[in-house]
Amino acid sequence: MVGVHAPEFGFEQNAANVRRALGQLDVRYPNIQDNDYAVWRAFANRGWPGIYFIDAQGKVRGYRLGEGGYDDGEQLIRTLLAEAGHDVSDVPLAPIEGKGVEAQAGWADLGSPEAYLGYAKAVGFASPGGLRNDATRSYAPAASLSRNRWDLAGSWKVGGEYAALESGPGTIRFRFHARDAHLVLGGAADGRPVRFRVTIDGRAPGASHGVDVDAAGWGEVKDDRLYQLVRQSGEIADRTVAITFSRPGVRAYVFTFG
């Protein structure tokens, strides 16, 4: 098994950040850093994660895009090993269950796509006056949010990749339809954690909190990574998640849903 890390954002090009993430995730197989997307292009990969199954002759025999399908993948690996002359009959099947941000999406209830906050790919922005590119501006929340619309409150500078909180507390809201809500966040330049609070429809998340917040909605940004804010425990409906950051310095890149 070999991993290939193709970065989507600037902070993911930093090898130290990648090494730290590998340690946190207990990834023990070798990984290649593909900052120039050479391997990505050579395999015509289409997204994250892209999983390729290659036989003993070097031929690609299978491809999976995204989390899930682990049982089918295990069976294909066993088939390829058997073809190569290995007896896997005494190797037990271990159940594979992704947890936290690695959990398979709840596809039946997924009604929200990825949503980028940098102006290069941003859609659905609802604050009055729209985005001001590469300039600090005081934003106000929208009067209301329909599904897959979002807004900002406070003083933010929106760049091509991310929105950065420039002063004071600030809030991001998103109206979504999914079991899980995640947000890629970057920490402050001074290295100190940035505390934040999550609410769902104006209330503490309770049993619907994600792995990176508690039942009251509190969490903190330490590292540049994906944070799970919401994992709904009950009926899936349109909800508004709000994230209020206590101080400036945080960078918000993209919402993902599952």
Side-chain angles (χ1 to χ4, degrees), residues 3-9 12-13 32-40 45 47-48:
V4 179
H5 172 69
E8 183 174 13
F9 301 113
E12 296 175 307
Q13 297 180 12
I32 299 166
Q33 185 126 357
D34 190 28
N35 281 0
D36 60 2
Y37 279 50
V39 178
W40 180 291
N45 193 45
W48 294 272

Side-chain angles (χ1 to χ4, degrees), residues 12-158:
E12 296 175 307
Q13 297 180 12
N14 185 319
N17 288 340
V18 176
R19 285 194 294 270
R20 180 173 61 248
L22 293 174
Q24 291 170 341
L25 295 170
D26 194 27
V27 174
R28 304 178 187 182
Y29 49 83
N31 275 266
I32 299 166
Q33 185 126 357
D34 190 28
N35 281 0
D36 60 2
Y37 279 50
V39 178
W40 180 291
R41 291 193 300 271
F43 280 81
N45 193 45
R46 300 196 303 272
W48 294 272
I51 304 170
Y52 293 82
F53 301 84
I54 302 172
D55 67 18
Q57 285 71 48
K59 182 179 180 181
V60 176
R61 298 282 296 277
Y63 174 66
R64 301 284 188 277
L65 178 61
E67 301 288 357
Y70 305 121
D71 292 340
D72 290 342
E74 173 69 15
Q75 290 302 327
L76 180 53
I77 291 170
R78 287 171 174 264
T79 297
L80 299 182
L81 288 170
E83 289 180 3
H86 298 281
D87 182 4
V88 295
S89 59
D90 62 345
V91 179
L93 281 169
I96 302 174
E97 181 182 357
K99 297 180 179 179
V101 297
E102 298 175 330
Q104 182 173 339
W107 298 112
D109 294 308
L110 185 56
S112 292
E114 286 186 326
Y116 291 85
L117 306 188
Y119 63 76
K121 296 183 179 180
V123 295
F125 186 63
S127 286
L131 291 174
R132 182 177 298 171
N133 297 354
D134 297 317
T136 300
R137 180 191 163 191
S138 181
Y139 290 92
S144 63
L145 290 176
S146 56
R147 183 192 288 189
N148 300 331
R149 302 276 286 174
W150 61 282
D151 62 13
L152 297 171
S155 180
W156 295 83
K157 183 177 181 179
V158 179

Side-chain angles (χ1 to χ4, degrees), residues 48 67 79 82 88 125 159 162 165 173-174 178 197 223 227 253:
W48 294 272
E67 301 288 357
T79 297
V88 295
F125 186 63
Y162 57 80
L165 182 60
R173 297 191 306 164
F174 196 102
R197 187 168 188 238
D223 304 319
Y227 289 77
Y253 289 81

Side-chain angles (χ1 to χ4, degrees), residues 206-225:
S208 292
H209 69 91
V211 296
D212 290 301
V213 302
D214 61 22
W218 291 105
E220 60 182 21
V221 180
K222 295 180 180 178
D223 304 319
D224 299 353
R225 63 176 177 87

